[in-house]
Amino acid sequence: KAGVTQTPRYLIKTRGQQVTLSCSPISGHRSVSWYQQTPGQGLQFLFEYFSETQRNKGNFPGRFSGRQFSNSRSEMNVSTLELGDSALYLCASSLAGTSGTDTQYFGPGTRLTVL
Amino acid sequence: AQSVTQLDSHVSVSEGTPVLLRCNYSSSYSPSLFWYVQHPNKGLQLLLKYTSAATLVKGINGFEAEFKKSETSFHLTKPSAHMSDAAEYFCVVSDPGTDKLIFGTGTRLQVFP
């Protein structure tokens, strides 16, 4: 079974631009979560989608948004990029994600650099 | 609120010696706890998870962890380190009833020949 895939793997943008990252979950997984990893803040939860609905959200500004499609693929968008948005963005998928015990499988991440 | 504290930011061991990575948790509920590993420029890989079954959990690559409620600890161990174990290790607790993972700050494991 193919793992979680994320595209692109690397991105370079300038301040003020917007960016869209894509995540394809493991086949059959319906929950997709996004995390931001930075040296200063570590790994932080952004949001989680299940059946095309945002089910949980972390403490990030409204510039960070996402969506999920009917095939469970997910995209996240960051508008008006700031230097501090430079990070590794990780996507994770799980079967249903309602119990807190489901294993989340992570993709390789998208490395975003904002200049 | 759920949280985890990884007590060491760096751990160095010699190849063939035991590994101990320490993690304490804070939870109002019976927690679900995980250890993930991240190799350089890679995503996160699950090593093992505890979900209130057996307190001694065996994972991949010879790692195991013991859930100790009295000490609120979930330390990760391995009897004999291998060079390929050099990586960053994260202790993680999940928010009950959701899929939200709360990560510790990570422990970087170095393995010397």
Side-chain angles (χ1 to χ4, degrees), chain A residues 31 35 37 43 45 56 88 94 97-101 103-104 106-108, chain B residues 32 34 36 38 41 43-44 46 49 51 90 94 97-101 103:
Chain A
S31 171
Y35 294 83
Q37 185 176 23
L43 276 147
F45 172 79
N56 293 291
L88 180 68
S94 65
T98 54
S99 65
T101 62
T103 296
Q104 290 195 38
F106 284 81
Chain B
S32 292
F34 308 79
Y36 280 86
Q38 186 176 36
N41 299 315
L44 293 157
L46 179 72
K49 72 176 182 180
T51 56
F90 292 93
S94 70
T98 75
D99 225 14
K100 175 182 174 182
L101 298 181
F103 285 80

Side-chain angles (χ1 to χ4, degrees), chain A residues 39-86:
Chain A
Q41 300 299 316
L43 276 147
Q44 293 185 286
F45 172 79
L46 278 156
F47 30 64
E48 183 231 350
Y49 285 86
F50 180 81
S51 291
E52 303 177 64
T53 300
Q54 187 181 86
R55 195 162 59 175
N56 293 291
K57 189 176 189 306
N59 296 324
F60 279 82
R63 300 185 297 106
F64 291 81
S65 63
R67 59 178 176 168
Q68 186 180 35
F69 301 96
S70 58
N71 62 358
S72 294
R73 190 177 69 86
S74 177
E75 289 181 346
M76 69 163 279
N77 184 76
V78 188
S79 62
T80 320
L81 283 166
E82 300 177 0
L83 294 178
D85 297 333
S86 294

Side-chain angles (χ1 to χ4, degrees), chain A residues 13-34:
Chain A
K13 292 286 186 179
T14 56
R15 278 180 298 174
Q17 288 187 308
Q18 76 164 18
V19 66
T20 300
L21 313 181
S22 180
C23 171
S24 293
I26 291 171
S27 177
H29 285 192
R30 298 173 64 191
S31 171
V32 174
S33 298
W34 288 89

Side-chain angles (χ1 to χ4, degrees), chain B residues 4-79:
Chain B
V4 288
T5 302
Q6 292 186 245
L7 301 173
D8 307 291
S9 58
H10 289 86
V11 170
S12 297
V13 300
S14 298
E15 192 174 22
T17 64
V19 175
L20 170 65
L21 305 183
R22 299 182 296 164
C23 173
N24 286 351
Y25 70 90
S26 173
S27 176
S28 306
Y29 308 88
S30 181
S32 292
L33 293 160
F34 308 79
W35 277 98
Y36 280 86
V37 61
Q38 186 176 36
H39 290 275
N41 299 315
K42 296 286 180 68
L44 293 157
Q45 181 184 20
L46 179 72
L47 281 176
L48 49 83
K49 72 176 182 180
Y50 166 78
T51 56
S52 75
T55 56
L56 183 62
V57 183
K58 293 189 184 299
I60 62 171
N61 301 335
F63 284 95
E64 62 181 39
E66 186 172 7
F67 175 76
K68 291 187 177 181
K69 187 174 180 179
S70 60
E71 299 175 11
T72 61
S73 69
F74 189 58
H75 301 335
L76 182 71
T77 61
K78 182 174 180 178

